[in-house]
């Protein structure tokens, strides 16, 4: 019995109502069996072909945060047909902006090193000028984690503290103390294709699994027009930055400092190699 509801893709209004109240929500079947096969094959192939770019940067986890640059074959997943309409409903159809897309792989046998509860981009608290209106006003950024494998008891798993977004909670201990009975740690497990949507301003973590257990995920971060870029390092490639379609150009228009430099450099392989590969060695 899970401690949270799991919505199916056709329960959009129920999902949104839950997300609005809790700042997270879980969807089943967000990727089809075909999507899962395609993405897992892609990751296996890519890790074999460009292992240097997948080297563990942190916590023993293999990851690739710039995979979109040279791989248009993942483009359909940058606005995936199941998750993206819900992202648009939360972030605003015209306001939502691409922020980051990556894969992570906790390898079997090594285990990941423990992660602590944190918020992403906590150096950017929302201000009166940037705070959004409406029922989703707390979501200045949103992340969707898709499980690409089954995540069971004993596997590394994502975990959220619902509604722990208030700036007055300066630490997880403070959130625990001030939220009282409302404080809850919710580990999310489920079959491959499960997706967790969360406001990146709530406390969250990856709970370590047993050392022999693995986990593969795909992480999509979204920003909105009023938020500053999520990172200073994500690269938007030329084919997306200069997309022929104006709506698509707008979606990819929130450039990090690195994207600006990449564009100024003429989107060269040399820039990519310096920015991505050299940083990994
Ligand atoms: O991999 C996970 O389950 C959590 C990742 C995370 O907390 C993060 O990237 O901020």
């Amino acid at each position: 019995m899970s401690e949270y509801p799991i919505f199916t893709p056709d329960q959009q209004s129920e999902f949104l109502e839950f997300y609005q109240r809790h700042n997270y929500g879980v969807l089943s079947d967000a990727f089809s069996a075909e999507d899962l096969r395609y993405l897992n094959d892609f990751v296996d192939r890519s890790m074999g072909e460009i292992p240097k770019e997948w080297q563990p940067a942190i916590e023993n986890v293999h990851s690739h945060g710039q995979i979109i640059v040279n791989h248009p074959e993942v483009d359909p997943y940058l606005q995936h047909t199941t998750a993206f309409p819900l992202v648009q409903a939360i972030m605003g159809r015209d306001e939502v902006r691409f922020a980051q897309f990556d894969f992570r792989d906790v390898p079997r046998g090594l285990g990941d090193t423990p992660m602590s509860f944190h918020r992403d981009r906590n150096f950017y608290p929302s201000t009166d000028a940037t705070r959004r209106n409406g029922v989703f006003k707390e979501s200045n950024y949103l992340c969707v984690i898709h499980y690409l494998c089954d995540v069971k008891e004993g596997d590394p798993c994502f975990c959220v503290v619902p509604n722990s977004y208030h700036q007055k909670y300066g630490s997880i201990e403070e959130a625990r103390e001030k939220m009282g009975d409302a404080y809850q740690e919710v580990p999310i497990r489920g079959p491959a294709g499960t997706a967790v949507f969360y406001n990146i301003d709530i406390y969250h973590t990856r709970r370590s699994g047993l050392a022999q257990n693995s986990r593969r995920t795909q992480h999509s971060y979204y920003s909105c027009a009023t938020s500053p870029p999520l990172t200073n390092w994500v690269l938007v490639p030329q084919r997306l930055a200069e997309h022929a379609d104006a709506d698509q150009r707008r979606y990819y228009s929130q450039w990090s400092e690195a994207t600006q430099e990449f564009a100024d450099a003429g989107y060269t392989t040399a820039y990519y190699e310096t920015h991505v590969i050299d940083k990994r060695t």
Side-chain angles (χ1 to χ4, degrees), residues 218-236:
Q218 188 272 305
H219 302 234
S220 293
Y221 292 80
Y222 304 92
S223 181
C224 68
T226 48
S227 297
L230 174 71
T231 74
N232 59 5
W233 55 269
V234 165
L235 296 178
V236 176

Side-chain angles (χ1 to χ4, degrees), residues 18-226:
F18 183 87
Y19 181 93
Q20 180 193 326
R21 285 193 290 117
H22 300 278
N23 277 275
Y24 85 103
V26 181
L27 203 64
S28 67
D29 305 298
F31 280 159
S32 67
E34 195 184 326
D35 290 324
L36 291 165
R37 213 170 16 252
Y38 179 86
L39 291 173
N40 277 307
D41 285 353
F42 171 80
V43 172
D44 287 341
R45 207 168 46 247
S46 180
M47 287 175 84
E49 285 171 2
I50 45 171
K52 207 168 154 189
E53 296 187 35
W54 285 88
Q55 277 170 20
I58 42 169
E59 299 145 357
N60 289 346
V61 179
H62 293 270
S63 65
H64 200 318
Q66 307 281 17
I67 196 76
I68 69 169
V69 174
N70 292 321
H71 294 281
E73 59 269 45
V74 298
D75 286 359
Y77 293 93
L78 305 184
Q79 293 158 89
H80 186 257
T81 47
T82 306
F84 197 63
L86 292 165
V87 172
Q88 286 179 307
I90 295 167
M91 304 300 282
R93 176 172 279 277
D94 294 332
E95 281 85 4
V96 62
R97 299 287 182 268
F98 169 80
Q100 183 182 332
F101 177 94
D102 62 86
F103 294 101
R104 301 182 204 179
D105 195 85
V106 179
R108 194 176 302 286
L110 259 187
D112 50 346
T113 51
M115 195 182 231
S116 50
F117 275 105
H118 61 281
R119 296 154 155 164
D120 300 329
R121 210 187 195 287
N122 57 5
F123 52 91
Y124 166 64
S126 57
T127 64
D128 287 347
T130 56
R131 192 166 293 113
R132 302 169 61 214
N133 295 318
V135 294
F136 297 113
K137 65 178 184 299
E138 301 302 339
S139 288
N140 291 309
Y141 302 95
L142 168 68
C143 182
V144 183
I145 300 181
H146 283 87
Y147 286 162
L148 299 187
C149 63
D150 294 344
V151 175
K152 305 178 293 301
E153 196 71 41
D155 293 336
C157 84
F158 186 62
C159 177
V160 290
V161 179
N163 280 342
S164 54
Y165 57 82
H166 290 292
Q167 283 166 42
K168 61 189 177 202
Y169 307 145
S171 66
I172 189 71
E173 290 75 25
E174 212 173 323
R176 196 176 286 127
E177 190 188 319
K178 291 189 173 159
M179 289 177 77
D181 289 346
Y183 182 92
Q184 237 195 320
E185 294 178 8
V186 183
I188 314 287
R189 300 186 181 90
T194 298
V196 192
F197 292 58
Y198 67 101
N199 172 352
I200 67 166
D201 214 12
I202 65 171
Y203 282 104
H204 60 272
T205 191
R206 180 180 56 250
R207 282 204 176 157
S208 292
L210 301 172
Q212 68 270 23
N213 294 10
S214 59
R215 193 201 63 176
R216 184 175 284 175
T217 44
Q218 188 272 305
H219 302 234
S220 293
Y221 292 80
Y222 304 92
S223 181
C224 68
T226 48

Side-chain angles (χ1 to χ4, degrees), residues 252-272:
Y252 292 107
S253 66
Q254 201 167 80
W255 293 5
S256 65
E257 286 162 32
T259 293
Q260 188 60 59
E261 282 175 16
F262 192 32
D264 293 345
Y267 298 99
T268 58
T269 305
Y271 183 90
Y272 178 81

